[in-house]
Amino acid sequence: MTWLAFSILATGAQAQSDPLGEDEESAARRPNIVWIMSEDNSKHYLKHFDDSGVEAPAIEAMAKHGVTFDRAFSNAPVCSTARTTLITGCYGPRIGTQFHRRTQPATLPINVEMFPAWLRAAGYYTTNNAKEDYNAKPRLQPWDDSSRKASWRNRPTPDTPFFHVVTFADSHEGRLHFPLEKLEKPTDFDQATVELQPYFPDTKLFRYTAAFYRDRMSIIDNKVAGVISQLEQDGQLENTFVFYFGDHGGVLPRGKGYIYESGLHVPLVIRVPDNYRDLVDRELGSRTQGFVSFIDFAPTVLNLAGLDPQSAGPIDGQAFLGPNVTAAEVDSRNTTFGYADRMDEKYDLVRSVRIGDWKLIRAFESFQPDAMWADYRYEMLAYQQWKDRYETGKLNEVQSQFFEPRQPELLFNLADDPHEVNNLADDPQHGDELIRLRQELTTHLKATNDLGFLTESRMLDVLDAPVENGKALSDEIATYINTANIAIEPWEEASKELLATINSGDLLQRYWALAAASSIAAADPAAKGDMAADATFAKLVRRRMLDVEPLVAARAAQLSAILDLDDPRPVFQRALKQTQSPTEALQIFNMVRQVTEMNEATYPMNSKLFSLPFVPDSKGLIQQHLDHLDRP
């Protein structure tokens, strides 16, 4: 396909000028590009990035012949959402791809494709071995081959440039789902020298798990060496940019699924080939502190391949290597945004912004602890022991944070507190930083028309054209964000706003107002007492428990339980009986579970208490909730 034809394909419009803006000779100099991804590992487990990590000779050798990115971030902390961000270059909440184990895939925005499709159109052979796990439907085919047999070695001619992705699962979370007997087997990494995060209890099990995971990273390093060796055998190593990175953070508890640094901060090393050394404005073996995130990977590959990233449509990222990218400009980048929504059966809308060493996490359902149950997480013995030690009073204050309601805003100075355990949001000395990051995050959420504020069940109505519909609903989404942000106000200021918004004619404004009230009550015992004692406020909560919208009624019941006003169980029963949406039912069961875990003695619940107007999938997420309610 000619470059002119590529331009027509990329824009969906009439022919434009050559998107490369270069002569035929330079256009023919197209490097190969290989991505090596390891699943579920943050940067903390490799010595190249963290003193407590394991040595990785192959990755370190790549770094000596390339560039190390010390501040590389996934925008999401879990597989499908992170991978969809990588393949599109778009923020998940903007294009409706932010839910892990989504109910249905989103339609990509107009003129946006999974970016290997543009490489294919430009003559590249594109292969993926083999995990995809995307939350969007492709239009153009991104891969020549996506299978366990996919390889650049299958390209049609030796001169065909290639883009190849390989994912290694040896570091996946599931590798830590081992039985107790495993602890009797030795680890290669010395358990006595493991540096545990301060939020973990120092136990034999945690030390074993942490050492065992570092052993898994040694296996990953060997796999990386194998890919490098294959390229060398084929005479392609010095024609190929090789990226090594984690597909998001993890995987010890409080990593995967959470937008702390342990969930978002990934290792990234890029080996620069000798034959394309001129495309990189850096010294070999150098490191950069410039921020890059997953939205930037697609435009970077396109730029290295000689394609104009702007031709790929309205994506959110910008290239960090290749023509017209200077090291100085990339080094000046200092901001990244993160998002976490549903992960399996657990709902929790959280957003973050990091600017330099300052980070703000905004938990929009902060009345729920991080530890809200998700079946797959708790197959790990370390999770189980951590929870058991909390319930038996064997943890200190920092180790207990994971199991307790959060503050709506969490402000961290990562220079002094890299593990994010000292929340500075209430410290007046850091008020300017809090306001700066709060404004930056709120502006970003509104500018991207964050679809998470529609809730997943309502978002399904806009997935045929999520970006266009998000723009059409921009004012409403901004209103929901403002309503949810009442939670960061003191009760004296928030009370009047809540009385008005809980009584709104817009169901989602009522929903977020109730969530804001729940966050205030869970974070401030004095405000909780004032709410419960306020006859007008209590009357309004009870009125919302009769709401015709099941989602709103259930949210009001949850608030009632937090305030110890009324038994929420009849409301949950009615809401689940009335809902016609399995996705809405899943959200309501999340509320049921939070109330059960908060006060099981007062409001005991089991599966027999609830009837649904549909039969849930026997192996689905709703059934997981029902099964969990019946466990002793």
Side-chain angles (χ1 to χ4, degrees):
M1 179 173 287
T2 66
W3 293 113
L4 183 60
F6 169 78
S7 181
I8 297 171
L9 179 62
T11 60
Q14 60 183 358
Q16 298 180 356
S17 61
D18 184 340
L20 295 176
E22 58 188 9
D23 58 32
E24 291 183 5
E25 181 179 353
S26 59
R29 291 189 66 242
R30 302 183 215 166
N32 309 313
I33 300 157
V34 168
W35 281 5
I36 306 172
M37 280 191 274
S38 52
E39 293 201 70
D40 298 2
N41 64 281
S42 61
K43 62 101 177 178
H44 305 89
Y45 303 106
L46 292 173
K47 194 174 184 64
H48 185 65
F49 293 91
D50 194 295
D51 288 341
S52 67
V54 67
E55 292 182 357
I59 295 169
E60 291 162 16
M62 284 179 57
K64 289 178 182 177
H65 204 281
V67 182
T68 296
F69 292 81
D70 285 313
R71 294 186 171 183
F73 305 92
S74 173
N75 299 99
V78 69
C79 305
S80 65
T81 311
R83 286 173 169 272
T84 308
T85 304
L86 279 168
I87 205 71
T88 62
C90 297
Y91 287 117
R94 183 175 74 86
I95 65 171
T97 61
Q98 71 272 35
F99 291 99
H100 181 58
R101 300 296 165 253
R102 76 290 186 278
T103 303
Q104 67 185 54
T107 299
L108 287 174
I110 295 172
N111 292 337
V112 171
E113 294 289 344
M114 294 183 180
F115 80 87
W118 303 133
L119 294 173
R120 288 189 75 211
Y124 272 74
Y125 182 70
T126 64
T127 50
N128 177 55
N129 190 331
K131 185 172 184 177
E132 293 186 358
D133 201 13
Y134 306 136
N135 291 338
K137 297 175 289 188
R139 279 191 297 262
L140 297 176
Q141 174 55 249
W143 305 113
D144 287 292
D145 185 9
S146 181
S147 72
R148 296 188 180 278
K149 295 182 179 180
S151 170
W152 66 80
R153 291 175 169 175
N154 300 327
R155 64 195 188 280
T157 73
D159 295 330
T160 303
F162 57 83
F163 173 62
H164 178 68
V165 177
V166 59
T167 300
F168 293 128
D170 304 85
S171 53
H172 188 269
E173 177 180 11
R175 299 299 192 271
L176 299 189
H177 294 173
F178 49 71
L180 194 59
E181 307 85 72
K182 186 81 172 178
L183 273 66
E184 304 307 317
K185 297 182 179 180
T187 55
D188 293 331
F189 195 94
D190 185 358
Q191 297 172 41
T193 64
V194 163
E195 183 179 321
L196 289 174
Q197 290 90 327
Y199 44 81
F200 291 149
D202 191 348
T203 67
K204 178 182 178 180
L205 174 59
F206 266 90
R207 284 192 167 275
Y208 181 91
T209 304
F212 179 79
Y213 193 69
R214 285 163 173 81
D215 287 354
R216 307 307 300 179
M217 294 309 300
S218 293
I219 295 172
I220 292 294
D221 190 61
N222 288 333
K223 296 287 184 72
V224 171
V227 176
I228 297 294
S229 177
Q230 289 175 14
L231 287 166
E232 197 165 24
Q233 290 170 22
D234 293 354
Q236 293 298 327
L237 183 59
E238 300 309 336
N239 296 322
T240 306
F241 285 91
V242 184
F243 290 53
Y244 162 72
F245 56 99
D247 73 341
H248 53 75
V251 67
L252 271 68
R254 215 192 85 152
K256 182 177 181 178
Y258 301 97
I259 58 176
Y260 300 107
E261 293 298 284
S262 53
L264 294 179
H265 198 157
V266 298
L268 172 61
V269 171
I270 300 178
R271 188 187 188 281
V272 177
D274 289 342
N275 294 335
Y276 294 89
R277 177 70 186 82
D278 59 309
L279 294 183
V280 175
D281 180 31
R282 292 191 185 277
E283 294 299 319
L284 297 184
S286 63
R287 306 181 80 116
T288 174
Q289 296 279 302
F291 280 37
V292 301
S293 57
F294 278 10
I295 56 168
D296 302 319
F297 281 48
T300 298
V301 170
L302 294 175
N303 196 45
L304 287 171
L307 281 65
D308 180 1
Q310 299 304 313
S311 296
I315 60 176
D316 296 310
Q318 54 183 329
F320 54 81
L321 282 180
N324 303 314
V325 176
T326 67
E329 190 278 323
V330 175
D331 290 346
S332 71
R333 300 181 192 179
N334 70 344
T335 303
T336 185
F337 295 97
Y339 40 87
D341 294 79
R342 176 162 68 81
M343 188 178 68
D344 298 333
E345 75 270 37
K346 179 178 78 71
Y347 280 94
D348 190 19
L349 195 153
V350 191
R351 300 289 183 262
S352 69
V353 58
R354 176 174 172 177
I355 303 177
D357 284 328
W358 285 94
K359 182 174 178 180
L360 176 67
I361 296 177
R362 176 72 175 89
F364 289 93
E365 296 167 289
S366 59
F367 44 89
Q368 299 178 161
D370 283 324
M372 276 287 289
W373 190 276
D375 279 2
Y376 193 72
R377 298 292 85 74
Y378 282 88
E379 289 185 32
M380 191 188 302
L381 293 178
Y383 263 112
Q384 295 174 28
Q385 185 187 70
W386 198 14
K387 185 173 188 290
D388 178 72
R389 291 178 77 87
Y390 174 74
E391 292 174 345
T392 54
K394 297 177 182 177
L395 300 180
N396 62 34
E397 183 178 351
V398 168
Q399 294 163 355
S400 298
Q401 290 174 355
F402 187 72
F403 300 92
E404 297 172 349
R406 299 154 289 175
Q407 294 292 317
E409 292 181 311
L410 304 173
L411 178 69
F412 301 110
N413 179 356
L414 299 172
D416 300 328
D417 179 24
H419 295 295
E420 298 160 286
V421 296
N422 183 23
N423 182 17
L424 302 174
D426 291 332
D427 187 336
Q429 293 185 34
H430 304 295
D432 290 345
E433 292 295 344
L434 175 64
I435 292 171
R436 177 172 73 111
L437 268 70
R438 178 192 292 166
Q439 291 175 341
E440 188 79 18
L441 182 59
T442 300
T443 298
H444 171 77
L445 299 180
K446 292 180 179 179
T448 54
N449 300 312
D450 190 310
L451 298 175
F453 290 90
L454 298 181
T455 74
E456 187 179 15
S457 58
R458 296 304 184 276
M459 193 185 76
L460 297 179
D461 295 333
V462 306
L463 285 185
D464 59 326
V467 173
E468 293 78 4
N469 287 324
K471 290 177 180 178
L473 293 169
S474 178
D475 290 345
E476 289 88 342
I477 291 171
T479 296
Y480 305 148
I481 293 169
N482 291 339
T483 302
N485 277 337
I486 296 173
I488 64 179
E489 300 176 11
W491 168 244
E492 306 79 52
E493 299 175 20
S495 57
K496 291 183 179 179
E497 291 181 79
L498 287 175
L499 287 172
T501 52
I502 289 175
N503 213 27
S504 168
D506 185 315
L507 81 91
L508 287 177
Q509 190 170 22
R510 300 197 299 275
Y511 174 90
W512 285 112
L514 291 162
S518 296
S519 292
I520 294 171
D524 185 350
K528 174 181 174 179
D530 291 342
M531 283 186 192
D534 186 323
T536 302
F537 188 81
K539 181 179 180 181
L540 188 54
V541 172
R542 291 184 173 111
R543 182 184 300 168
R544 290 281 71 84
M545 290 169 73
L546 300 173
D547 202 289
V548 296
E549 293 290 344
L551 203 59
V552 175
R555 191 59 108 187
Q558 187 178 31
L559 174 57
S560 175
I562 292 171
L563 297 176
D564 299 317
L565 288 179
D566 295 312
D567 187 342
R569 289 173 295 182
V571 182
F572 287 142
Q573 286 177 302
R574 185 173 65 252
L576 287 166
K577 194 171 185 177
Q578 290 176 343
T579 183
Q580 298 299 311
S581 165
T583 304
E584 185 174 71
L586 187 63
Q587 292 176 255
I588 294 171
F589 271 117
N590 206 72
M591 302 174 203
V592 169
R593 288 280 292 279
Q594 187 270 334
V595 169
T596 302
E597 294 183 24
M598 176 183 67
N599 200 338
E600 186 173 5
T602 304
Y603 307 119
M605 290 183 257
N606 58 51
S607 64
K608 295 179 181 178
L609 197 64
F610 305 108
S611 62
L612 295 163
F614 54 85
V615 178
D617 182 345
S618 62
K619 296 182 180 180
L621 299 177
I622 290 176
Q623 190 61 50
Q624 285 186 27
H625 278 301
L626 292 168
D627 291 344
H628 188 82
L629 289 172
D630 292 337
R631 293 176 188 171

